[in-house]
Amino acid sequence: MSRRLPAQFCDGLNRRSFLRAGGLAMGGLTLPELLRAQGENRYRLGHKACIMIFLAGGPPHQDMFDMKPDAPSEIRGEFSPISTNLPGVQICEHLPQLASRMDRYSLIRSIYGAKDRHDAFQCLTGRLNENQPVGGWPSLGSVISKIRGTAKRGIPPFISLNPKMKVSGWSNPGDAGFLGKSHSPFTPNADGAANLDLQGVDVSQFKSRSALLADLDRMKRQVDKIVELEGVDAFTEQALGILTSSKLSDALDITKEDPKLVERYGGGSYEYAGYGDGACLHNDYFIKARRLVEAGVRTVTVAYGRWDWHGQPHGTNFENARDHLPFFDQGVSALVDDIYERGLDRDVSVVVWGEFGRTPRINAKGGRDHWPRASFALMFGGGVQPGRVIGATNKYGEEPSERPVHIQEVFATLYHNLGIDTETATVNDLSGRPRYLVDHTQYGKIDELV
């Protein structure tokens, strides 16, 4: 006669809660569910990866990477262009470090295909948030999780480092859509904490692993005594093992980095940026993203800053830019260097962009409003050819005038860099219908980049 598991361990933690500890930040996804979804690919030795930095709110393209110095003052704004180390290419004076590294990344000035809607969904899926299949379109990270599984046992394939945010459209970590919860991102910062939180144990406490392991071993011994383990799901047993591992917490612990490298990134603040409802400006997230892909994560998303600058009484577009751009310049430049210096440029693709651009004409409040007809993206690593400027906008930055690049082309390029053929690869929706990853009948990979 089988023995039933009692409702709780002696310390008050029941078995179900214990097994769900790793799923608290996964939208309800448990570790056994995650492991079931990973299938045979979970033992792969090598992997390609992607880091997506989402500039929440829509950064002003004409004040950053698409300067219009010959335009009237109400369009060109307050900033001046400076030369980069790529002959003939200029960007904003408040981005001097990125200007000196132009030969290490590529700039797309002619992104189009967005809607006038504050929604990370566009950047996370490459799709518009309308006329979706039942369940919704899955994000890039969820698709990669489905197709590739995990790269290293005990490490989730998809992690979002988004901090807690007040605007739901910006805080979207990359929903799994019709692929289901098993391909949702692990979200260690979603509760507003700066570090991984696992059943109330933050990353600093993992420094004293002996106490933690003793507690976990004690709970596992209780399971051994109470349950006939040969009857327990194999994935559940693996989940128990993962809870005793510090691989993920180690990856998130930047105290293990050289302090000089951490200083190079520039730090920042965990407070809400801008008007108080966006993501924070903290460049430690970029270090964590790099550490996570090294640890085996396939996709990392990061929401960064608050770029929706409509003007007074919340500061003009240019006042906010003077606050954001130095942190952005230092953090992204440090990540560029880090990716190259560690040899990750062969395997890790990085894209930096927002959901749309800003109006060419400055409004009466000193701000720029939403402008979905043109925006920019930075891309580097993973096979992207560096030192290229793709596309252009017209003289006022209103719309692409040369080589328009649809947002789905960016996705096709990322999938290509990850070794996924968008001409043939599909994922099934909830009705069992195969869905292509991009609308490849209209948009292909950006051939100039790969």
Side-chain angles (χ1 to χ4, degrees):
M1 179 170 151
S2 62
R3 288 167 288 181
R4 297 182 62 186
L5 186 70
Q8 292 186 328
F9 294 117
C10 60
D11 59 359
L13 178 67
N14 64 41
R15 174 178 176 273
R16 183 178 298 252
S17 296
F18 175 68
L19 295 179
R20 296 188 69 89
L24 294 178
M26 299 185 213
L29 172 63
T30 66
L31 285 167
E33 287 171 338
L34 176 63
L35 290 164
R36 286 190 185 94
Q38 290 162 0
E40 295 181 355
N41 287 328
R42 65 184 183 276
Y43 297 109
R44 292 173 60 91
L45 297 177
H47 73 292
K48 300 285 187 178
C50 175
I51 297 172
M52 182 179 293
I53 299 173
F54 170 61
L55 307 182
H61 54 290
Q62 57 280 87
D63 298 314
M64 295 176 69
F65 294 99
D66 192 14
M67 310 289 288
K68 303 296 180 183
D70 298 326
S73 59
E74 65 271 20
I75 290 174
R76 72 171 181 264
E78 299 177 9
F79 300 153
S80 298
I82 57 172
S83 295
T84 70
N85 66 351
L86 203 63
V89 179
Q90 295 184 319
I91 62 176
C92 178
E93 62 182 312
H94 294 291
L95 302 172
Q97 295 190 57
L98 283 169
S100 69
R101 292 164 175 79
M102 187 74 215
D103 60 340
R104 285 193 152 187
Y105 61 90
S106 282
L107 167 62
I108 306 171
R109 283 176 165 163
S110 54
I111 299 287
Y112 79 103
K115 285 284 189 179
D116 180 4
R117 178 183 297 138
H118 278 313
D119 202 341
F121 184 90
Q122 296 177 130
C123 289
L124 294 168
T125 66
R127 313 272 188 170
L128 298 180
N129 195 358
E130 55 190 35
N131 300 319
Q132 296 189 60
V134 175
W137 290 113
S139 65
L140 174 80
S142 297
V143 171
I144 295 169
S145 171
K146 174 68 174 180
I147 292 176
R148 292 287 187 234
T150 56
K152 292 186 180 180
R153 190 176 183 183
I155 296 292
F158 180 18
I159 289 183
S160 170
L161 292 178
N162 286 5
K164 185 177 181 180
M165 299 164 67
K166 295 180 180 179
V167 178
S168 59
W170 291 339
S171 62
N172 181 350
D175 293 336
F178 60 65
L179 293 181
K181 281 188 175 182
S182 60
H183 299 291
S184 295
F186 188 96
T187 56
N189 298 323
D191 61 354
N195 296 311
L196 171 69
D197 189 299
L198 181 63
Q199 196 67 18
V201 181
D202 69 30
V203 71
S204 63
Q205 291 173 274
F206 278 89
K207 293 177 182 176
S208 178
R209 289 190 63 217
S210 57
L212 173 69
L213 290 174
D215 288 341
L216 290 172
D217 285 342
R218 172 176 49 78
M219 286 187 277
K220 287 174 67 178
R221 284 196 301 272
Q222 289 179 334
V223 172
D224 291 340
K225 291 178 181 178
I226 300 169
V227 181
E228 296 176 357
L229 278 179
E230 61 270 21
V232 175
D233 189 298
F235 291 104
T236 299
E237 291 188 65
Q238 290 183 44
L240 287 168
I242 288 173
L243 287 176
T244 68
S245 170
S246 63
K247 289 180 183 178
L248 186 55
S249 61
D250 284 347
L252 289 164
D253 186 358
I254 66 170
T255 64
K256 298 181 181 297
E257 289 286 337
D258 183 342
K260 292 182 179 179
L261 176 68
V262 176
E263 183 179 359
R264 194 199 309 176
Y265 273 85
S269 171
Y270 287 115
E271 298 297 321
Y272 294 123
Y275 306 174
D277 58 0
C280 61
L281 285 169
H282 208 306
N283 295 340
D284 285 0
Y285 286 131
F286 298 162
I287 308 177
K288 292 179 181 181
R290 188 266 294 162
R291 288 180 61 84
L292 286 169
V293 296
E294 284 185 315
V297 179
R298 293 191 184 276
T299 308
V300 180
T301 58
V302 184
Y304 183 79
R306 204 274 192 200
W307 304 80
D308 188 32
W309 303 331
H310 292 277
Q312 300 294 4
H314 302 291
T316 69
N317 175 84
F318 305 98
E319 289 169 343
N320 281 292
R322 288 187 180 94
D323 174 67
H324 273 52
L325 294 189
F327 281 106
F328 173 83
D329 184 46
Q330 184 165 358
V332 176
S333 295
L335 181 61
V336 169
D337 290 347
D338 217 359
I339 291 292
Y340 276 92
E341 290 169 6
R342 302 177 80 87
L344 298 174
D345 56 292
R346 297 184 297 271
D347 296 317
V348 180
S349 300
V350 182
V351 60
V352 184
W353 59 351
E355 65 263 52
F356 43 64
R358 310 300 293 188
T359 50
R361 188 174 297 275
I362 302 164
N363 65 31
K365 297 181 292 183
R368 296 190 191 268
D369 300 312
H370 303 172
W371 192 257
R373 288 160 57 183
S375 60
F376 74 87
L378 306 185
M379 296 184 73
F380 57 94
V384 167
Q385 295 295 315
R388 301 194 177 195
V389 177
I390 297 173
T393 58
N394 63 9
K395 64 180 181 179
Y396 293 160
E398 297 164 311
E399 57 191 7
S401 59
E402 297 177 17
R403 183 53 176 99
V405 175
H406 194 276
I407 55 177
Q408 286 204 351
E409 289 185 83
V410 174
F411 270 72
T413 301
L414 292 172
Y415 284 125
H416 170 85
N417 291 353
L418 291 160
I420 299 172
D421 184 358
T422 55
E423 294 292 321
T424 58
T426 60
V427 289
N428 289 346
D429 64 19
L430 293 177
S431 68
R433 174 186 175 185
R435 297 278 188 166
Y436 284 104
L437 311 187
V438 297
D439 186 355
H440 66 280
T441 61
Q442 298 183 53
Y443 314 110
K445 67 178 183 296
I446 308 173
D447 291 329
E448 299 95 319
L449 281 179
V450 297

